[in-house]
Amino acid sequence: TRHLGRLHVHSTVLHPGCGYAPHADAHDVAIVTLAGEVETLGRRVPAHAVIFYAAGEPHGMANPGGSPAVYLVFEFHR
């Protein structure tokens, strides 16, 4: 698309008890959970869900479960 400068996609495995502190990105981010469970901004999200953060919106991630959380991250750069 001519409206998207660059699409960056990567997969992540977040082990139980691990995570990262809230931060904000200059681009939109969509996360598709594939396995396990994640917690973001006080909300638990199961597998097979989509999470969206608009550019500039703080977000962090943790794995509160007992098994690895697997998810895809899509970064939409202008």
Side-chain angles (χ1 to χ4, degrees):
T1 176
R2 66 182 184 175
H3 301 287
L4 179 64
R6 180 171 60 111
L7 174 63
H8 174 86
V9 181
H10 66 269
S11 64
T12 299
V13 176
L14 194 59
H15 295 282
C18 294
Y20 57 87
H23 67 282
D25 294 311
H27 48 269
D28 293 342
V29 176
I31 296 173
V32 178
T33 57
L34 302 176
E37 179 181 52
V38 296
E39 185 172 322
T40 179
L41 305 177
R43 196 176 105 216
R44 286 190 176 210
V45 180
H48 311 291
V50 176
I51 306 165
F52 178 78
Y53 303 104
E57 182 180 353
H59 60 280
M61 192 78 63
N63 180 349
S67 62
V70 180
Y71 53 90
L72 296 174
V73 178
F74 296 83
E75 297 178 356
F76 301 92
H77 297 266
R78 292 187 179 111

